[in-house]
Amino acid sequence: MSTPTHHGPSRGRPANAIPTPQAPPPDILRCASMELVVTDLAASRKFYAEVLGLVVTEEDESTIYLRSFEEFIHHNLVLRQGPVAAVAAFSYRVRSPEELDNAVAFYEELGCRVERRPEGFVKGIGDTVRVEDPLGFPYEFFYDVEHVERLAWRYDLYTPGALVRIDHFNQVTPDVPRAVAYAQDLGFRVTEDIRDEEGTVYAAWMRRKPTVHDTAMTGGDGPRMHHVAFATHEKHNIIAICDKLGALRMSNHIERGPGRHGVSNAFYLYLRDPDGHRVEIYTQDYYTGDPDNPIVTWDVHDNQRRDWWGNPVVPSWYTEASPVLDLDGNPQPLVARTDDSEMAVTIGADGFSYTREGHEGEGHDLPSWKQGEYKLGNQL
Amino acid sequence: MSTPTHHGPSRGRPANAIPTPQAPPPDILRCASMELVVTDLAASRKFYAEVLGLVVTEEDESTIYLRSFEEFIHHNLVLRQGPVAAVAAFSYRVRSPEELDNAVAFYEELGCRVERRPEGFVKGIGDTVRVEDPLGFPYEFFYDVEHVERLAWRYDLYTPGALVRIDHFNQVTPDVPRAVAYAQDLGFRVTEDIRDEEGTVYAAWMRRKPTVHDTAMTGGDGPRMHHVAFATHEKHNIIAICDKLGALRMSNHIERGPGRHGVSNAFYLYLRDPDGHRVEIYTQDYYTGDPDNPIVTWDVHDNQRRDWWGNPVVPSWYTEASPVLDLDGNPQPLVARTDDSEMAVTIGADGFSYTREGHEGEGHDLPSWKQGEYKLGNQL
Amino acid sequence: MSTPTHHGPSRGRPANAIPTPQAPPPDILRCASMELVVTDLAASRKFYAEVLGLVVTEEDESTIYLRSFEEFIHHNLVLRQGPVAAVAAFSYRVRSPEELDNAVAFYEELGCRVERRPEGFVKGIGDTVRVEDPLGFPYEFFYDVEHVERLAWRYDLYTPGALVRIDHFNQVTPDVPRAVAYAQDLGFRVTEDIRDEEGTVYAAWMRRKPTVHDTAMTGGDGPRMHHVAFATHEKHNIIAICDKLGALRMSNHIERGPGRHGVSNAFYLYLRDPDGHRVEIYTQDYYTGDPDNPIVTWDVHDNQRRDWWGNPVVPSWYTEASPVLDLDGNPQPLVARTDDSEMAVTIGADGFSYTREGHEGEGHDLPSWKQGEYKLGNQL
Amino acid sequence: MSTPTHHGPSRGRPANAIPTPQAPPPDILRCASMELVVTDLAASRKFYAEVLGLVVTEEDESTIYLRSFEEFIHHNLVLRQGPVAAVAAFSYRVRSPEELDNAVAFYEELGCRVERRPEGFVKGIGDTVRVEDPLGFPYEFFYDVEHVERLAWRYDLYTPGALVRIDHFNQVTPDVPRAVAYAQDLGFRVTEDIRDEEGTVYAAWMRRKPTVHDTAMTGGDGPRMHHVAFATHEKHNIIAICDKLGALRMSNHIERGPGRHGVSNAFYLYLRDPDGHRVEIYTQDYYTGDPDNPIVTWDVHDNQRRDWWGNPVVPSWYTEASPVLDLDGNPQPLVARTDDSEMAVTIGADGFSYTREGHEGEGHDLPSWKQGEYKLGNQL
């Protein structure tokens, strides 16, 4: 059976779910921008603007606003100089100015700290709501935004690895089903997830725009930011980024990949920026906009779930992530995951994982090239 | 100035607009399928299934149901044997079963012929509404549909030119502003259009899903079907289709391209099937899902609007299109376009067009490689 | 039959062949560089260095030396300011310094004007022989050359359309079999040609390095230079060049393509530089280094010989070419072709060509999409 | 300094070099074919013909002859059923039938066992010389060969991962400088190598045709066959092979990559066939045909030499290789490498390697994303 199991869209709501507010959630269009606090603005500018080629819309001595080539809003990434590398905002665009009222009501009913600034928190964006959400993440909602030139046709400016869109966020949180229930209340729909036979959920992908995700929930000590992802047009663009990092002797910024995801079916690359913030480069997932879009559930023991080619996931990818800030700019304390960790269950005491049922444990009697698992050996 | 003018989203509603119904329109998700009547089913099967590699979901002696690799609904294309090559349905999926009631009310208020079949008109689809719309097109709306395997991960089945999604329709209609006003009433949003300084509109692109279009209105004698488009992942996939057609000595099926569109910024290829139905292969337009997505307006005299590289549009692309059928299966009579034709205004009596203002007429005094226009010379 | 006829490597030597010298020919490694005289050095620099991204090795007020990314010799292209756009040298690298003596002897025996400069004719190259060859072309031979950094690994410098190698020359000459016999005496081997049933030869491709060609002989009034070709790694690199030219509103520099050649099986694009010199961008032909490499002969009436997809060849591609200079810098007079011209025989009085035997003349009774030829209609 | 050091082409001949024969070596054109003994012919046929898509030229119950899409000789790979997985022949094509006499004389002078069969050892090839060379490898030389259709233009047969050429062999041998001296006597030229400051040579790449190699010598217990490589046109073709292996749940056959080599600058993938024979898929190295082509020498401690992106080399890639057979079909005994092993010197006791001088040892005090080496941690 080469393809993952397709389940229907409904799952039971967990017993410890955050109560669903009576207030309607804000109508979110898409993930739109992330605000990163960086400790060396010049180093970060070099990484994002010179190496990755994101376009600087505007900048001053403390802050840089960047966007991707197909974007028409002011920015998709804000780099702000600060004392500790962290994430200050996961920013979503909503469908209309009125949706900010909904955001305020929704989060106030949840008992969250909510701050609304009609003048915005950052340049280029007007009326904005920021909240400390029930999972501890700094979520931002806005509609008013400065329009800038969509550079889609400006092939004179493209680099071989041009980033054309912001695609998604990925958040680390200890209790994935609880996080999913909250995100569904906020209007997100699950497209894929990773589970085991006992029902433990290791990660889930959720979308507003009709791609595989606008954000994902990854099980681990949280709240932390796992990565922010930008899209290229084609796979060779991602390879070009690797080649350029090699030429600049910055290959240590390549953490994992490139490869093909099982989940999402996209081609991917994970980088670490000068502060260790993780950035994914991503291309070619699929349309998910129908209400009955089939959810794809992957077995945590399927060795192709994270990399379709079975290439191993480096431990740092599982264990490291960025702190997130509260609305005062202080790092949020972490809550430890109590469910099984994906890394622990997929890499056993003998250092081997398995791709197919029944293969577990037989690896040692086989020559390496006959083991479905040999590539994962000795990862820990 | 290398990029086209960006206008705001609102244009005046034309004086001859079809009245807006009081009934809400059906909430359309996306263009989902086209039903083509073909005169030689075996020849069409070879073209679509063997050459283009669309997947046969189901077939019988008179009808073939095909889908693209990333689709999970029963089909994106229906080929039905019939006496005259024509289009029997432009089929849209709506958000819920209840939207069919809206479709009935909306079109009945417009005075259109409406037919609803709870058992569906074709295999794989349940409750369906078909109408003869105010422009004369056979539009179909459905929600209930048989789910089939999404083959996105089945790389063992992919061909070099694999078609992964249905992307859009393109309709020929004599009065583009009138057609656009109707489509806007139906919930579509304009993303790009082609105009001239006098205000004549030559074509408009409109979307429901957040791509450049689910359908486009092209000015000409209508109602006719200009093309149906399928998407590939990358540009090389489109080139592979051309290469395969060459190897099969079927290069005469290539009508135009491959090339880069100005409008939509997508990479494209136009084919003609064994009956002359036009099929576009298309990849990499941009996200348009924000309500204030900037409309891109192209000057009809911009020689890069239809092909970003300035390659000429063959006359057949402007003049030929497929008949469409009424609900009894009879071809709809044509209404002639009275506005200027795009072909006529862009290729003058001297056989030259122009790319930049002020260049018109100077072509003959320049060597060919200095003329922005020389490639268009002698096209007619 | 989808593939062209394969003939054995030997053809009869034409009766009017230039006598074969007793002296051995110089052992040519490869086409290495072309010297172009340009009328506006700044415009040419912009075209070749800024738009196409060739690397400037060295330059002064009158001359610019450029190379491709994988080159380690001083240059592959010399741009020299002059009064008339023309070609000053087709430059080949030979296997050793001693081969220059062979070149001198070979051409002196042919009665050609020969000039040897131990200090070289251009910067970066030492001992050099230049000749006015029997066909009237300025051929250059050298071994001594300045080594420069091979930038193959410098992905930090690559553009989306990076040119990585010089691939070949293409020469226009009136009598192709006579030119081929001379080139074979000089050590070249034929890889492909275009012929008709009467034996007329329209063009031939010949190689030293094991690709399809280092130079080709194209039938027409000559001596003229048809084009010089540079290679990219992949097809998308060529598309990126088109996209960039579109963004710079320089699409008029695109003369033909992109497309897939029948001859050579390479993916191609033809550009015209600011002086009208033709440059091909080319990728992915095949290995030809075995002595018994099969010659591929194409029927001049095979509509896929020049473009595998059957797209038409613009007339300028057939008729326009650059003058070549004698060793005093004066343009060589042209000798008219007396054999049939390829353009004349492939595009008839009715404006139609044909792809398959028996199809000629039936085009007008078929709808356009059933004609193998419709795309070629009205080209003249 | 982002690029490796370029040295001149000459190195000292080692003291233990095999004496250079007086007889001239056979003039080798290129690596042409490998004969593999496989233990399950049906499984190997599935792997090479169905999964990788090599074309079966001919087959019988015990042997399968396969070729790549651009090949015109009978085969590039022979699969022969046998009791032990091994390599029976590294087969080179020579320039003429007479070169076989040179091969006989050359190897007889070296005291090697030589067998000549005018009728050939395998189908499709005539007069053939096989030897047990001084390093213990079964080398084969031939000129006479059956021509078959070059399928280069048969895009109707191409798969997404089409293999178009055989590119090179890679041999494991204990003493690399001694092997290189012998190969140079045989006419090969070094293009790249890996060394350390003490002068230990870990591997060398050598060519006849003007690519980076026809064969390479890799330091290790030998004689063994490290891999045979086939070329694709583009990088996405290699990715398609990975994707297909994933879809077939054969991802365990992917041993290493895909990635970008430092050495050769090619894009690569290493697979293991059902017997564990290693196959590389390879694309886009560079032209090396000039006599003074600069040799590229890589420091064994340069973490980007084997993978330009710094991704780790799995231990099995260093340690596992295929036995080779003598002319009686018996496996050759191994001679142990006494020089340092590349794996041992590049992965230290702490499991870390280093990319840049001075970085060694500092890894543990840095967060993982600041270590140039973190990806190599814990590989052993």
Side-chain angles (χ1 to χ4, degrees):
Chain A
M1 173 61 178
S2 70
T3 45
T5 312
H6 290 193
H7 292 260
S10 68
R11 309 286 175 118
R13 190 172 174 86
N16 66 346
I18 299 157
T20 303
Q22 297 297 314
D27 187 354
I28 295 171
L29 291 167
R30 54 167 172 142
C31 72
S33 181
M34 181 172 279
E35 181 180 343
L36 290 177
V37 178
V38 299
T39 61
D40 181 341
L41 190 63
S44 294
R45 190 189 196 285
K46 180 185 170 191
F47 184 79
Y48 288 103
E50 293 178 35
V51 178
L52 293 183
L54 285 172
V55 178
V56 176
T57 299
E58 189 171 353
E59 62 186 320
D60 56 33
E61 54 291 331
S62 68
T63 315
I64 305 173
Y65 302 85
L66 301 115
R67 73 182 190 277
S68 53
F69 272 81
E70 293 182 357
E71 188 55 81
F72 73 95
I73 66 171
H74 187 264
H75 58 257
N76 302 125
L77 185 69
V78 179
L79 305 174
R80 182 160 56 78
Q81 175 77 42
V84 178
V87 177
F90 297 74
S91 186
Y92 295 94
R93 194 165 192 221
V94 295
R95 192 171 298 277
S96 70
E98 295 70 33
E99 296 295 336
L100 295 194
D101 299 332
N102 287 335
V104 169
F106 182 88
Y107 282 102
E108 287 188 342
E109 187 175 343
L110 285 168
C112 294
R113 179 175 170 187
V114 175
E115 188 172 354
R116 182 169 185 168
R117 286 196 197 166
E119 74 282 13
F121 288 77
V122 296
K123 288 185 182 175
I125 296 181
D127 191 10
T128 307
V129 170
R130 283 195 174 184
V131 306
E132 293 171 11
D133 85 358
L135 308 176
F137 290 97
Y139 262 34
E140 175 180 285
F141 304 93
F142 73 92
Y143 174 78
D144 287 332
V145 67
E146 186 179 326
H147 284 209
V148 291
E149 184 185 359
R150 176 174 256 158
L151 299 169
W153 289 264
R154 291 296 301 275
Y155 292 102
D156 51 322
L157 303 179
Y158 275 56
T159 58
L163 304 180
V164 296
R165 286 185 297 279
I166 186 169
D167 192 85
H168 62 263
F169 307 136
N170 188 305
Q171 306 173 238
V172 185
T173 192
D175 184 335
V176 174
R178 187 168 174 267
V180 168
Y182 151 65
Q184 286 175 321
D185 288 345
L186 191 53
F188 287 89
R189 288 172 177 276
V190 174
T191 57
E192 305 201 22
D193 60 14
I194 295 176
R195 293 172 173 257
D196 65 16
E197 294 178 5
E198 289 73 39
T200 302
V201 184
Y202 296 87
W205 285 256
M206 289 171 296
R207 64 102 188 165
R208 287 292 307 176
K209 70 181 184 317
T211 62
V212 170
H213 51 327
D214 285 283
T215 196
M217 297 295 176
T218 298
D221 303 346
R224 290 184 297 166
M225 187 279 286
H226 193 273
H227 64 263
V228 57
F230 292 89
T232 65
H233 278 143
E234 302 199 334
K235 295 182 287 289
H236 64 79
N237 301 118
I238 291 181
I239 292 167
I241 291 170
C242 296
D243 289 338
K244 184 175 182 180
L245 287 165
L248 294 168
R249 289 292 174 178
M250 292 172 68
S251 64
N252 55 310
H253 288 268
I254 300 175
E255 183 186 39
R256 178 184 157 206
R260 168 79 63 192
H261 282 307
V263 174
S264 83
N265 203 28
F267 193 75
Y268 72 86
L269 170 72
Y270 291 98
L271 304 177
R272 302 295 288 274
D273 85 0
D275 280 293
H277 295 307
R278 187 178 289 107
V279 181
E280 183 177 13
I281 318 295
Y282 182 94
T283 193
Q284 293 161 27
D285 59 3
Y286 57 91
Y287 169 81
T288 61
D290 286 13
D292 54 347
N293 180 68
I295 295 177
V296 181
T297 290
W298 299 77
D299 185 328
V300 74
H301 293 294
D302 182 342
N303 196 27
Q304 296 185 186
R305 75 197 181 287
R306 290 283 186 188
D307 184 276
W308 185 242
W309 312 332
N311 279 330
V313 177
V314 292
S316 65
W317 190 90
Y318 280 124
T319 59
E320 302 183 6
S322 295
V324 302
L325 302 181
D326 66 21
L327 297 189
D328 297 317
N330 298 316
Q332 289 278 19
L334 296 192
V335 176
R337 176 170 172 88
T338 55
D339 285 340
D340 285 342
S341 92
E342 183 173 342
M343 187 170 77
V345 300
T346 55
I347 308 178
D350 61 356
F352 285 85
S353 182
Y354 68 93
T355 296
R356 287 155 299 195
E357 286 186 68
H359 268 230
E360 192 167 33
E362 72 180 55
H364 290 137
D365 299 329
L366 293 173
S368 72
W369 42 269
K370 284 210 173 174
Q371 297 163 7
E373 304 69 43
Y374 76 101
K375 287 182 300 183
L376 280 181
N378 305 314
Q379 283 301 307
L380 289 181
Chain B
M1 174 62 179
S2 70
T3 45
T5 312
H6 291 194
H7 292 261
S10 67
R11 308 287 175 115
R13 190 172 174 87
N16 66 346
I18 298 157
T20 303
Q22 297 297 312
D27 187 353
I28 295 171
L29 291 167
R30 54 165 173 144
C31 70
S33 181
M34 181 172 279
E35 180 180 342
L36 289 177
V37 179
V38 299
T39 61
D40 180 342
L41 190 62
S44 293
R45 190 188 197 286
K46 180 184 171 193
F47 184 79
Y48 288 103
E50 293 177 35
V51 178
L52 293 184
L54 285 173
V55 177
V56 176
T57 299
E58 189 172 352
E59 62 185 319
D60 57 32
E61 55 291 332
S62 68
T63 314
I64 305 172
Y65 301 84
L66 302 115
R67 72 182 191 276
S68 53
F69 272 81
E70 293 181 358
E71 188 55 81
F72 72 96
I73 65 171
H74 186 265
H75 58 257
N76 301 128
L77 185 68
V78 179
L79 304 174
R80 182 161 56 79
Q81 175 77 42
V84 177
V87 177
F90 297 74
S91 185
Y92 295 95
R93 194 164 193 224
V94 295
R95 191 170 299 276
S96 69
E98 295 71 35
E99 296 295 336
L100 295 194
D101 300 332
N102 287 336
V104 170
F106 182 87
Y107 281 102
E108 286 188 343
E109 186 174 343
L110 284 169
C112 294
R113 179 174 169 187
V114 175
E115 189 172 354
R116 182 171 186 168
R117 288 195 196 166
E119 75 282 12
F121 288 78
V122 296
K123 290 185 180 175
I125 297 182
D127 191 10
T128 308
V129 170
R130 282 195 175 183
V131 306
E132 293 170 11
D133 86 356
L135 308 176
F137 290 96
Y139 262 34
E140 176 179 284
F141 305 92
F142 73 93
Y143 174 78
D144 287 330
V145 67
E146 186 179 327
H147 284 210
V148 291
E149 184 186 0
R150 177 174 254 158
L151 299 169
W153 288 264
R154 291 296 302 275
Y155 291 103
D156 51 323
L157 303 179
Y158 275 57
T159 58
L163 304 181
V164 296
R165 287 186 297 279
I166 186 169
D167 192 85
H168 63 263
F169 306 137
N170 189 305
Q171 308 172 237
V172 185
T173 191
D175 184 335
V176 174
R178 188 168 173 267
V180 167
Y182 151 66
Q184 288 175 320
D185 287 344
L186 190 53
F188 287 89
R189 288 173 175 276
V190 174
T191 57
E192 305 203 22
D193 60 13
I194 296 176
R195 294 172 172 258
D196 66 16
E197 294 180 3
E198 288 73 39
T200 302
V201 184
Y202 296 87
W205 285 256
M206 288 171 296
R207 65 101 187 165
R208 288 291 307 176
K209 71 180 182 317
T211 63
V212 170
H213 50 327
D214 286 281
T215 196
M217 298 293 176
T218 298
D221 304 346
R224 289 184 296 165
M225 187 278 287
H226 193 272
H227 64 263
V228 56
F230 293 90
T232 64
H233 278 141
E234 301 200 332
K235 296 182 286 291
H236 64 80
N237 300 118
I238 292 182
I239 291 167
I241 291 171
C242 297
D243 288 339
K244 184 175 182 179
L245 288 165
L248 295 168
R249 289 293 175 178
M250 293 173 68
S251 65
N252 55 310
H253 287 268
I254 300 174
E255 182 185 39
R256 179 184 157 205
R260 168 79 64 191
H261 282 309
V263 173
S264 83
N265 203 31
F267 192 74
Y268 74 87
L269 171 71
Y270 291 99
L271 304 176
R272 300 296 288 274
D273 84 0
D275 280 294
H277 295 308
R278 187 179 288 107
V279 181
E280 183 177 13
I281 319 295
Y282 181 95
T283 192
Q284 293 160 29
D285 59 2
Y286 57 90
Y287 169 82
T288 62
D290 286 12
D292 55 345
N293 180 67
I295 295 178
V296 180
T297 290
W298 299 77
D299 185 328
V300 74
H301 293 294
D302 182 342
N303 195 29
Q304 295 185 189
R305 76 197 180 289
R306 289 283 185 188
D307 184 275
W308 185 243
W309 311 334
N311 280 331
V313 177
V314 292
S316 65
W317 191 90
Y318 280 125
T319 60
E320 302 182 6
S322 296
V324 300
L325 302 181
D326 64 23
L327 296 189
D328 297 317
N330 299 315
Q332 289 278 17
L334 296 192
V335 176
R337 176 170 171 89
T338 55
D339 285 342
D340 286 342
S341 92
E342 183 172 343
M343 187 171 77
V345 301
T346 55
I347 308 178
D350 60 356
F352 285 86
S353 183
Y354 68 92
T355 297
R356 288 155 298 198
E357 287 187 67
H359 268 230
E360 192 169 35
E362 73 180 52
H364 290 136
D365 300 330
L366 293 173
S368 72
W369 41 271
K370 284 211 172 173
Q371 297 163 8
E373 302 70 40
Y374 76 102
K375 286 183 300 185
L376 281 180
N378 305 314
Q379 282 301 307
L380 290 183
Chain C
M1 174 62 178
S2 70
T3 44
T5 311
H6 290 195
H7 292 261
S10 69
R11 309 287 175 116
R13 190 172 173 87
N16 66 346
I18 298 156
T20 303
Q22 297 297 313
D27 187 354
I28 294 171
L29 291 168
R30 56 165 171 142
C31 71
S33 181
M34 181 172 279
E35 180 180 342
L36 290 176
V37 179
V38 299
T39 61
D40 180 341
L41 190 62
S44 294
R45 190 188 196 289
K46 180 184 171 193
F47 184 80
Y48 288 103
E50 293 178 35
V51 178
L52 293 184
L54 285 172
V55 177
V56 176
T57 299
E58 189 171 353
E59 63 185 318
D60 58 31
E61 55 291 332
S62 67
T63 314
I64 304 173
Y65 303 84
L66 302 115
R67 73 182 190 278
S68 53
F69 272 81
E70 294 182 356
E71 188 55 82
F72 73 95
I73 66 172
H74 186 264
H75 59 257
N76 302 127
L77 184 68
V78 179
L79 304 174
R80 182 162 55 79
Q81 175 77 42
V84 177
V87 176
F90 296 75
S91 186
Y92 295 95
R93 195 164 192 221
V94 295
R95 192 170 300 276
S96 70
E98 295 70 35
E99 296 295 337
L100 295 194
D101 300 332
N102 286 336
V104 169
F106 182 87
Y107 282 103
E108 287 188 341
E109 188 174 341
L110 285 169
C112 293
R113 178 174 171 188
V114 175
E115 188 171 354
R116 183 170 186 167
R117 286 194 197 167
E119 75 282 12
F121 288 77
V122 296
K123 290 184 181 174
I125 297 181
D127 192 10
T128 309
V129 171
R130 284 194 175 183
V131 305
E132 293 171 11
D133 86 357
L135 308 176
F137 290 97
Y139 263 33
E140 176 179 283
F141 304 93
F142 73 93
Y143 174 78
D144 287 331
V145 67
E146 185 180 327
H147 284 210
V148 290
E149 183 185 1
R150 177 173 254 157
L151 299 169
W153 289 265
R154 292 296 301 275
Y155 292 103
D156 51 322
L157 303 179
Y158 275 56
T159 58
L163 304 180
V164 296
R165 288 184 297 278
I166 186 170
D167 192 86
H168 63 263
F169 307 138
N170 189 305
Q171 306 173 240
V172 185
T173 191
D175 184 334
V176 174
R178 187 169 175 267
V180 167
Y182 151 66
Q184 287 175 321
D185 288 344
L186 191 53
F188 287 89
R189 288 173 176 275
V190 174
T191 56
E192 305 201 22
D193 60 13
I194 295 176
R195 293 173 172 257
D196 65 17
E197 294 179 3
E198 289 72 40
T200 303
V201 184
Y202 295 87
W205 284 256
M206 288 171 296
R207 65 100 185 164
R208 287 293 308 177
K209 70 180 184 314
T211 62
V212 170
H213 52 325
D214 285 284
T215 195
M217 297 294 176
T218 298
D221 304 346
R224 291 183 297 166
M225 187 279 286
H226 192 272
H227 64 263
V228 56
F230 293 90
T232 64
H233 278 142
E234 302 199 333
K235 296 182 287 290
H236 64 79
N237 301 118
I238 292 182
I239 292 168
I241 292 171
C242 296
D243 288 339
K244 184 175 181 178
L245 287 165
L248 294 168
R249 289 292 174 178
M250 293 172 68
S251 64
N252 54 310
H253 288 268
I254 300 174
E255 183 186 38
R256 179 186 156 204
R260 168 78 64 190
H261 281 309
V263 174
S264 83
N265 203 30
F267 192 75
Y268 73 87
L269 170 71
Y270 290 100
L271 304 176
R272 301 295 290 274
D273 86 358
D275 280 293
H277 295 308
R278 187 179 289 106
V279 181
E280 182 178 14
I281 317 295
Y282 181 94
T283 194
Q284 293 160 29
D285 59 2
Y286 56 91
Y287 169 81
T288 61
D290 286 12
D292 54 346
N293 180 67
I295 296 178
V296 181
T297 290
W298 299 77
D299 185 329
V300 72
H301 294 294
D302 182 343
N303 195 28
Q304 295 185 187
R305 76 198 180 288
R306 290 283 185 189
D307 183 276
W308 186 243
W309 311 333
N311 279 330
V313 177
V314 292
S316 66
W317 191 90
Y318 280 125
T319 61
E320 302 183 6
S322 295
V324 301
L325 302 181
D326 66 21
L327 297 188
D328 296 317
N330 299 316
Q332 289 278 17
L334 296 192
V335 175
R337 176 169 172 89
T338 55
D339 285 341
D340 286 341
S341 92
E342 183 173 342
M343 187 171 76
V345 301
T346 54
I347 309 178
D350 61 356
F352 285 86
S353 183
Y354 68 93
T355 297
R356 288 156 296 197
E357 287 187 67
H359 269 230
E360 192 168 34
E362 72 179 54
H364 289 136
D365 299 329
L366 293 173
S368 73
W369 42 271
K370 284 211 173 173
Q371 297 161 9
E373 304 69 42
Y374 75 103
K375 286 183 301 185
L376 281 181
N378 305 315
Q379 281 303 306
L380 289 182
Chain D
M1 174 60 180
S2 69
T3 44
T5 312
H6 291 193
H7 292 261
S10 68
R11 309 284 174 120
R13 190 172 174 87
N16 65 346
I18 298 157
T20 304
Q22 297 296 312
D27 187 354
I28 295 171
L29 291 168
R30 54 166 172 142
C31 70
S33 182
M34 180 171 280
E35 180 181 343
L36 290 177
V37 179
V38 299
T39 61
D40 180 342
L41 190 62
S44 293
R45 191 189 196 286
K46 180 184 171 191
F47 184 78
Y48 288 103
E50 293 177 35
V51 178
L52 293 184
L54 285 172
V55 178
V56 176
T57 299
E58 189 172 352
E59 62 186 319
D60 57 31
E61 54 291 333
S62 66
T63 314
I64 304 173
Y65 301 85
L66 302 115
R67 71 182 192 277
S68 54
F69 272 82
E70 293 182 357
E71 187 55 81
F72 73 96
I73 65 172
H74 186 264
H75 58 257
N76 301 127
L77 184 69
V78 179
L79 304 175
R80 182 160 55 79
Q81 176 77 42
V84 177
V87 177
F90 296 74
S91 186
Y92 295 95
R93 194 165 192 222
V94 295
R95 190 171 300 278
S96 70
E98 295 70 34
E99 296 295 337
L100 295 194
D101 299 332
N102 287 335
V104 169
F106 182 87
Y107 282 101
E108 287 187 342
E109 188 175 343
L110 285 169
C112 295
R113 179 174 171 189
V114 175
E115 189 172 352
R116 182 171 185 167
R117 286 196 197 164
E119 74 282 12
F121 289 77
V122 296
K123 289 186 182 175
I125 296 182
D127 192 10
T128 308
V129 171
R130 283 194 175 186
V131 306
E132 293 171 11
D133 86 357
L135 307 176
F137 291 96
Y139 262 34
E140 175 179 284
F141 305 92
F142 73 92
Y143 174 78
D144 287 331
V145 68
E146 186 180 326
H147 284 209
V148 291
E149 183 185 1
R150 178 174 254 157
L151 298 170
W153 289 264
R154 292 295 301 275
Y155 292 103
D156 50 323
L157 303 179
Y158 275 55
T159 58
L163 304 180
V164 296
R165 288 184 297 278
I166 185 169
D167 192 85
H168 63 264
F169 306 137
N170 189 305
Q171 308 172 237
V172 184
T173 191
D175 184 334
V176 174
R178 187 168 173 268
V180 167
Y182 151 67
Q184 287 175 321
D185 288 344
L186 190 53
F188 287 88
R189 289 173 175 276
V190 174
T191 56
E192 305 202 21
D193 60 13
I194 295 176
R195 293 171 174 258
D196 66 16
E197 293 179 3
E198 289 72 40
T200 303
V201 183
Y202 296 87
W205 285 256
M206 288 171 296
R207 66 101 186 164
R208 288 291 308 176
K209 71 181 183 317
T211 61
V212 169
H213 51 328
D214 285 282
T215 195
M217 297 295 177
T218 298
D221 303 346
R224 291 184 296 166
M225 187 278 288
H226 193 272
H227 64 263
V228 56
F230 292 90
T232 64
H233 278 142
E234 301 199 333
K235 296 182 286 290
H236 63 80
N237 300 118
I238 292 182
I239 292 167
I241 291 170
C242 297
D243 289 337
K244 185 176 181 179
L245 287 164
L248 294 168
R249 289 292 175 178
M250 293 173 67
S251 65
N252 55 310
H253 288 267
I254 300 174
E255 182 186 39
R256 179 186 157 204
R260 168 78 64 190
H261 280 311
V263 173
S264 83
N265 203 29
F267 192 75
Y268 73 87
L269 171 71
Y270 291 99
L271 304 177
R272 300 296 287 276
D273 84 0
D275 280 294
H277 295 307
R278 187 179 288 107
V279 181
E280 182 178 12
I281 318 295
Y282 182 94
T283 192
Q284 294 161 28
D285 60 2
Y286 56 90
Y287 169 82
T288 61
D290 286 13
D292 55 345
N293 180 67
I295 295 178
V296 180
T297 289
W298 299 78
D299 185 329
V300 74
H301 293 294
D302 182 342
N303 195 28
Q304 296 184 188
R305 77 196 179 288
R306 290 282 185 189
D307 184 276
W308 186 242
W309 311 334
N311 280 331
V313 178
V314 291
S316 65
W317 190 91
Y318 281 124
T319 60
E320 302 183 6
S322 296
V324 301
L325 303 180
D326 66 20
L327 296 189
D328 296 318
N330 299 315
Q332 289 278 17
L334 296 192
V335 177
R337 177 170 171 89
T338 55
D339 285 341
D340 286 343
S341 92
E342 183 172 342
M343 187 170 77
V345 300
T346 55
I347 308 178
D350 60 356
F352 286 85
S353 183
Y354 67 93
T355 297
R356 288 156 297 197
E357 286 185 68
H359 268 230
E360 193 168 33
E362 73 179 55
H364 291 137
D365 299 330
L366 292 173
S368 72
W369 42 268
K370 283 210 173 174
Q371 297 162 8
E373 302 71 41
Y374 77 101
K375 285 182 302 183
L376 281 180
N378 305 316
Q379 281 302 306
L380 289 182

